[in-house]
Amino acid sequence: QVQLVESGGGLVQPGGSLRLSCAASGSIFVIKDMGWYRQAPGKQRELLAVITNSGRPNYADSVKGRFTISRDNAKNTVYLQMNSLNPEDTAVYYCNLVPPGNYWGQGTQVTVSS
């Protein structure tokens, strides 16, 4: 069982940047693909970015070119660098396995507003 704790969210102006972190427990982390998801109010959860156990990334079109996913397996941590943020990026951001496990962390709120 992997436990996930997201952090790094906050309030940022349009065009700004944030870096999210996801701390995962369990040695199984190192062999699993990891992803960042988000859920905006009234919308379904959306998969934004995936990184394989070997570090290969892939992105949804909505964030491609703006967001960068990375991982540090030695620290059991996944990151999401978010640049050029816009109000449509406002959501609660989660990390999880890809495909996701049954248990989610608390998420971290990202609000993009003037």
Side-chain angles (χ1 to χ4, degrees), residues 15-108:
S17 298
L18 285 172
R19 191 184 192 220
L20 308 183
S21 297
C22 170
S25 65
S27 60
I28 196 173
F29 170 88
V30 72
I31 65 172
K32 297 295 185 181
D33 295 355
M34 294 293 297
W36 282 97
Y37 306 75
R38 70 184 179 191
Q39 187 166 24
K43 297 183 179 179
Q44 292 185 329
R45 187 179 59 227
E46 174 188 16
L47 176 62
L48 304 175
V50 177
I51 187 164
T52 69
N53 61 346
S54 61
R56 184 173 64 254
N58 199 15
Y59 302 95
D61 288 341
S62 59
V63 305
K64 191 174 298 182
R66 300 188 298 123
F67 291 10
T68 302
I69 188 172
S70 60
R71 69 192 296 165
D72 185 339
N73 289 341
K75 297 181 178 179
N76 286 354
T77 303
V78 182
Y79 305 96
L80 187 68
Q81 178 66 48
M82 306 187 295
N83 300 324
S84 301
L85 288 164
N86 58 63
E88 290 70 36
D89 296 315
T90 295
V92 179
Y93 285 69
Y94 303 88
C95 65
N96 210 326
L97 308 173
V98 181
N102 290 328
Y103 299 99
W104 296 79
Q106 84 287 350
T108 185

